[in-house]
Amino acid sequence: MGSISKSKLVVTQSKQTDQLYRRLGLSAIGSAIVAMVMVFIIGPKANHFTISLVWLAVISLVSLYRWISARIYNRLKDREKARHNWKFRFDIGAYMAAISWSLSVWLFYPLGHPAYQVMMILVMAGVAGGAISILSYDKKIITYYLLIILVVTDIRLIMLGDELSLQLALLNTLYYLFVLKGGRDIANGFYELLVLREDTEEHNLTLLSATESVARIGYWQWDMQSANIELSSNLVTMCGADSKFVEFNSCLKKVHDDDRLRVQMAIDSVLKSGEESSVEYRLHAREADDWIIMNQVIKRITDSSDQLFLLGTVQDISVIKSAEQKIFDMAYYDELTGLANRGHFREHLLDQIKHVSRNKTQLAVLFLDLDGFKEINDTLGHDMGDMYLQEISKLLKSKVRDEDFVARLGGDEFSIVLDSIQDGMFAAETAERCLALKQQAIKVGNQSILPRMSIGIAIYPQDGEDADTLLRSADAAMYSAKQNGKHSFAFYDAQMTADAAERLELESDLRKALENNEFKLVYQPKVSVIDERVAGVEALIRWIHPVRGFVSPDNFIDTAERIGLINEIGEWVIETASLQQQQWKAQGLQLEMAVNVSSSHFSSDNFVQYVESIQQRYDIKDGELEIEITESMSRDTAKHINVCKELHQKGIKVAIDDFGTGYSSLSVLKQLQVNTLKVDRSFIQHLPDDESSALMVKAIVAMGLGLGFDIVAEGVETEAQTLFLRQLGSPYIQGYYFSRPVEAEQIPELAKTRFQISPPNQPV
Ligand code: C2E
Ligand code: CA
Ligand code: CA
């Protein structure tokens, strides 16, 4: 039989008991019937018929006991707990049966009727044989059962002493010894069968748990009465749990914050609806590990006693997920550079075209082709070529905004999609930044390469309304860039290339203009209507370009703002104007100085500080310097309010330039402590005949003066305009009528002039 473990022994024993009881009911009934038949056939021939009836009653009672206990046992729910007692009850029943059967030979053995005597012993032999069918699941019982009958019967037969009885006793003994041997053999066989079955089940379980761990599956069971969940052994390992029983809440804590609610909801819904549900979530299994991705199927189960259980199977699908990701990456990304591949690029472009056409904006497709890549590949080898492509990819990505899309179309071709752009200029600038990579040597092995490329630009919708046409246009533009001597960019539309090139050149020239001292200031007098003399000047910047000559501020202030030069230029203007004012003062010329300041400079962090330093350096008194800002700015944030206030405290005046073109309310401007409103030229232009202009200017002047602002009328070109403004009571006038902006040297002369403002027919 070999040695078996203790736990296995217990299991085997309970299986034995099950087998014994399974057959017991039928056998008890059979034994009662046999007893009845025996009593009715042999009984009348027996010595004491009444005693045989009493015996029958005893045998029936024993059978009844065995039958009832079999019924109870077979319906028992938890046999395991009471197994020991029930085995004992079985044994008692079996021995009682053995004793009562063997007693029959004592109680009503039919003396004097040899045929009945033989029949009776044969019946007893039959009972012994029948016992084998149920008792042989337990070797001990079958042995004792048969021995009891054998011994008691033999004693009785031997005590009778007659020849037949002795012969029957001998026969009986031989028969029982034979049955005993057979019964014990069968019992051994059954026992081994049970052990074998146990082994197989155990083996299957081992197999199952091995399968579980290979498939990274586990399961848990939650008896809803308790707070604890029971985990399968593999799930314990998967989750890194300390024991098989874990608290529900501590389990939930290990679930990723973003997934926890979903898990909770899935459980709730299964509990409520009873319908199976599955949920995917991330689990932080062990301290050191990353998140593992779990797929969980939850089922609700009610057992026969209406107890509620939740059963969950959990599978670690991290590997599957990462494989999915890998497949996704392979389909969408270029393996070498990690950039989007051609397919992904097309998909993105199609999406963006839809998006941009809805929003009525534009998008640009840049087609980049590396110059001389073939030579790099041929001379340095493919590995180096690959490294070069990887480096280039990284650099290209660093030259675009986060929302721009960079793809490798194949070989040494790349593409960039810029969406929601206002005009082609942004594309040109991006192309310029990519071309500027030439200054950054890329180290490949022990070679360093200056990256060169040709870039073609196509704009949606003008250069193509669908993805393929756009890409073809960009490709064609790239080709023309190559034709133009490489390392350059070209728009699909040649005119745009020219425009962009010019603008970019302007930008790069502008960057050098300050260093090269190409700016200068001109001054336009502001005339006081009251005393008909120059009260102050407005400084206006001029750029004298070495090649282009004079460039109007209207053509470079915006650019300077865009490329971030405006603050430096603004500081130069304030300083130059202040120096000029100081020099005039030294000559005895007292003039107010107005300077234009752009919004980004005005709202920059240290603007007030800078003005203060200038104020000290050039000894600027209260009211001598006025900062002109545009109207839109004055409506802006709290930041502007603070700057205005601080300037006011330092005695620096603030004027609102181009007043009337924005929509600022006078009361707000008053709060800002603005000093001056400069009425925009567009209102002055059509005076005095245009009624609406006349009305507007009238209102501005009246209300402005009423609120205590100074008023300057700008762009005054005619006598009629001058007279009209004088009538309205505008205190200052500025415009070509008195003077164009002039060089600083001309100002002292102008300052001496008395301007005739009153109508010629009226005496001054
Ligand atoms: P703005 O501040 O409104 O300056 C007045 C502009 O109108 C000047 O043009 C001036 O020459 C012109 N102007 C003056 N009187 C008349 C007139 O009677 N008729 C006509 N048609 N025009 C007249 P400019 O100098 O070309 O300046 C243009 C704009 O450039 C300025 O408009 C100002 O916004 C900006 N700007 C000029 N200098 C600077 C500066 O130093 N810094 C900043 N940020 N902007 C400046
Ligand atoms: Ca101005
Ligand atoms: Ca103006």
Side-chain angles (χ1 to χ4, degrees), residues 36-73:
M36 234 177 287
V37 172
M38 192 172 93
V39 168
F40 282 99
I41 295 174
I42 302 173
K45 313 289 171 210
N47 299 347
H48 312 281
F49 183 60
T50 22
I51 291 179
S52 74
L53 288 179
V54 172
W55 175 82
L56 180 61
V58 171
I59 270 286
S60 300
L61 279 175
V62 172
S63 294
L64 189 66
Y65 165 81
R66 300 182 78 196
W67 182 78
I68 290 174
S69 52
R71 275 193 73 95
I72 297 177
Y73 181 85

Side-chain angles (χ1 to χ4, degrees), residues 251-319:
C251 276
L252 209 55
K253 256 187 224 145
K254 291 188 170 185
V255 173
H256 194 283
D257 285 351
D258 296 345
D259 301 341
R260 200 169 296 135
L261 187 68
R262 272 189 306 118
V263 173
Q264 180 79 62
M265 271 163 56
I267 289 177
D268 287 350
S269 105
V270 173
L271 272 178
K272 225 178 265 163
S273 69
E275 259 163 49
E276 187 178 299
S277 161
S278 67
V279 59
E280 236 176 72
Y281 59 89
R282 284 157 291 176
L283 188 83
H284 192 50
R286 281 162 293 260
E287 281 313 314
D289 288 2
D290 284 340
W291 295 98
I292 55 176
I293 306 169
M294 295 290 213
N295 183 31
Q296 173 163 294
V297 180
I298 312 162
K299 241 181 165 159
R300 190 179 80 177
I301 300 172
T302 319
D303 71 1
S304 51
S305 58
D306 274 345
Q307 187 120 321
L308 204 59
F309 283 96
L310 273 189
L311 194 75
T313 57
V314 187
Q315 188 178 15
D316 177 355
I317 53 169
S318 310
V319 180

Side-chain angles (χ1 to χ4, degrees), residues 645-665:
K645 275 193 182 142
E646 284 181 64
L647 289 175
H648 183 79
Q649 280 160 12
K650 296 186 179 13
I652 307 292
K653 295 212 275 183
V654 175
I656 301 298
D657 209 350
D658 306 341
F659 185 78
T661 54
Y663 301 94
S664 46
S665 90

Side-chain angles (χ1 to χ4, degrees), residues 469-748:
T469 318
L470 263 177
L471 196 60
R472 258 203 314 277
S473 300
D475 191 9
M478 186 277 292
Y479 186 73
S480 78
K482 286 246 186 226
Q483 298 275 295
N484 283 339
K486 301 188 176 176
H487 198 69
S488 61
F489 71 86
F491 279 92
Y492 181 66
D493 176 356
Q495 184 56 46
M496 280 183 79
T497 312
D499 293 350
E502 191 189 311
R503 220 170 113 180
L504 287 169
E505 195 186 85
L506 184 87
E507 282 179 15
S508 87
D509 289 349
L510 192 55
R511 284 180 218 277
K512 290 177 252 163
L514 262 181
E515 275 176 55
N516 296 349
N517 225 352
E518 290 166 7
F519 292 121
K520 73 168 194 178
L521 289 182
V522 289
Y523 301 90
Q524 185 177 38
K526 179 176 81 178
V527 176
S528 158
V529 176
I530 315 285
D531 53 19
E532 301 183 325
R533 286 184 191 276
V534 175
V537 293
E538 176 182 0
L540 294 159
I541 194 167
R542 297 290 176 262
W543 178 17
I544 318 296
H545 188 278
V547 183
R548 295 164 199 251
F550 171 81
V551 183
S552 156
D554 285 332
N555 290 334
F556 69 82
I557 293 292
D558 284 353
T559 310
E561 273 177 11
R562 193 156 37 78
I563 64 178
L565 273 182
I566 195 68
N567 295 11
E568 269 178 79
I569 294 178
E571 290 184 357
W572 178 86
V573 170
I574 295 173
E575 172 144 24
T576 310
S578 301
L579 177 67
Q580 184 61 62
Q581 190 184 29
Q582 196 184 40
Q583 286 170 359
W584 282 330
K585 269 202 270 183
Q587 298 168 26
L589 200 57
Q590 191 68 37
L591 290 172
E592 253 179 46
M593 177 65 75
V595 291
N596 295 283
V597 169
S598 91
S599 76
S600 68
H601 190 200
F602 189 76
S603 50
S604 67
D605 279 343
N606 45 13
F607 180 71
V608 178
Q609 251 175 297
Y610 178 77
V611 173
E612 205 180 355
S613 71
I614 290 291
Q615 196 178 17
Q616 280 162 11
R617 197 164 344 140
Y618 298 100
D619 189 28
I620 297 168
K621 301 274 179 325
D622 279 8
E624 285 182 354
L625 181 64
E626 186 162 61
I627 306 281
E628 294 190 11
I629 56 174
T630 52
E631 193 180 350
S632 58
M633 252 164 46
S634 60
R635 272 179 291 133
D636 252 18
T637 55
K639 171 111 193 157
H640 285 140
I641 299 174
N642 277 339
V643 177
C644 284
K645 275 193 182 142
E646 284 181 64
L647 289 175
H648 183 79
Q649 280 160 12
K650 296 186 179 13
I652 307 292
K653 295 212 275 183
V654 175
I656 301 298
D657 209 350
D658 306 341
F659 185 78
T661 54
Y663 301 94
S664 46
S665 90
L666 288 172
S667 60
V668 171
L669 292 181
K670 195 67 212 161
Q671 268 176 11
L672 289 180
Q673 297 175 310
V674 162
N675 304 82
T676 309
L677 306 180
K678 298 191 76 173
V679 183
D680 192 63
R681 193 166 68 88
S682 58
F683 300 106
I684 310 296
Q685 232 172 357
H686 306 291
L687 288 181
D689 305 325
D690 180 63
E691 263 182 55
S692 64
S693 295
L695 239 135
M696 186 77 178
V697 175
K698 219 173 179 170
I700 293 174
V701 173
M703 288 204 317
L705 289 176
L707 285 166
F709 291 105
D710 262 347
I711 305 282
V712 180
E714 283 192 304
V716 177
E717 291 180 352
T718 65
E719 187 183 21
Q721 291 166 349
T722 316
L723 290 177
F724 184 80
L725 287 161
R726 179 183 171 273
Q727 242 180 354
L728 291 184
S730 169
Y732 298 100
I733 291 176
Q734 189 182 344
Y736 293 173
Y737 178 66
F738 296 123
S739 171
R740 290 184 170 255
V742 296
E743 307 273 337
E745 299 80 65
Q746 294 175 256
I747 290 295

Side-chain angles (χ1 to χ4, degrees), residues 222-462:
W222 187 9
D223 159 10
M224 298 308 290
Q225 246 96 16
S226 82
N228 284 336
I229 300 182
E230 185 182 346
L231 309 182
S232 76
S233 57
N234 196 45
L235 192 55
V236 171
T237 330
M238 274 161 71
C239 298
D242 303 330
S243 90
K244 204 170 138 133
F245 292 96
V246 287
E247 229 205 330
F248 174 68
N249 283 331
S250 74
C251 276
L252 209 55
K253 256 187 224 145
K254 291 188 170 185
V255 173
H256 194 283
D257 285 351
D258 296 345
D259 301 341
R260 200 169 296 135
L261 187 68
R262 272 189 306 118
V263 173
Q264 180 79 62
M265 271 163 56
I267 289 177
D268 287 350
S269 105
V270 173
L271 272 178
K272 225 178 265 163
S273 69
E275 259 163 49
E276 187 178 299
S277 161
S278 67
V279 59
E280 236 176 72
Y281 59 89
R282 284 157 291 176
L283 188 83
H284 192 50
R286 281 162 293 260
E287 281 313 314
D289 288 2
D290 284 340
W291 295 98
I292 55 176
I293 306 169
M294 295 290 213
N295 183 31
Q296 173 163 294
V297 180
I298 312 162
K299 241 181 165 159
R300 190 179 80 177
I301 300 172
T302 319
D303 71 1
S304 51
S305 58
D306 274 345
Q307 187 120 321
L308 204 59
F309 283 96
L310 273 189
L311 194 75
T313 57
V314 187
Q315 188 178 15
D316 177 355
I317 53 169
S318 310
V319 180
I320 300 170
K321 282 276 156 186
S322 77
E324 273 176 13
Q325 184 61 43
K326 183 107 188 111
I327 291 166
F328 175 84
D329 287 352
M330 270 156 61
Y332 281 85
Y333 294 94
D334 172 50
E335 216 174 337
L336 179 66
T337 61
L339 294 177
N341 62 17
R342 199 182 191 99
H344 192 181
F345 165 80
R346 247 187 75 85
E347 232 171 77
H348 177 83
L349 187 55
L350 288 172
D351 281 353
Q352 288 311 311
I353 287 176
K354 272 189 224 147
H355 175 77
V356 163
S357 73
R358 264 200 305 274
N359 296 339
K360 304 261 178 291
T361 53
Q362 300 186 324
L363 77 75
V365 174
L366 274 64
F367 194 108
L368 292 78
D369 188 290
L370 302 182
D371 294 337
F373 180 69
K374 196 177 165 319
E375 286 76 54
I376 295 171
N377 240 351
D378 289 350
T379 53
L380 300 179
H382 284 270
D383 287 349
M384 293 295 168
D386 282 355
M387 268 168 72
Y388 177 59
L389 289 173
Q390 286 171 333
E391 288 304 314
I392 281 273
S393 304
K394 268 188 239 159
L395 291 173
L396 286 179
K397 267 216 96 92
S398 73
K399 293 296 165 199
V400 299
R401 302 172 299 178
D402 282 349
E403 62 262 41
D404 298 332
F405 188 87
V406 185
R408 179 175 174 225
L409 302 181
D412 61 345
E413 291 175 357
F414 296 86
S415 182
I416 302 175
V417 181
L418 309 170
D419 55 271
S420 302
I421 54 168
Q422 295 307 322
D423 56 31
M425 213 42 218
F426 185 74
E429 282 161 7
T430 307
E432 270 291 289
R433 279 202 300 277
C434 294
L435 292 175
L437 286 175
K438 202 184 99 175
Q439 283 136 28
Q440 234 166 305
I442 293 182
K443 266 204 119 36
V444 176
N446 43 20
Q447 297 276 330
S448 59
I449 306 168
L450 294 174
R452 297 170 61 86
M453 63 194 81
S454 301
I455 304 173
I457 305 171
I459 306 287
Y460 170 89
Q462 66 213 46

Side-chain angles (χ1 to χ4, degrees), residues 177-238:
L177 288 177
F178 180 71
V179 172
L180 247 172
K181 165 84 172 89
R184 285 172 65 88
D185 283 351
I186 294 172
N188 278 339
F190 273 135
Y191 186 81
E192 270 180 14
L193 198 71
L194 288 177
V195 172
L196 189 69
R197 196 183 286 173
E198 198 50 44
D199 276 350
T200 320
E201 268 170 30
E202 193 179 49
H203 178 68
N204 281 347
L205 270 174
T206 321
L207 207 66
L208 182 72
S209 91
T211 320
E212 260 189 295
S213 79
V214 169
R216 311 216 16 99
I217 299 177
Y219 59 88
W220 53 259
Q221 184 175 320
W222 187 9
D223 159 10
M224 298 308 290
Q225 246 96 16
S226 82
N228 284 336
I229 300 182
E230 185 182 346
L231 309 182
S232 76
S233 57
N234 196 45
L235 192 55
V236 171
T237 330
M238 274 161 71

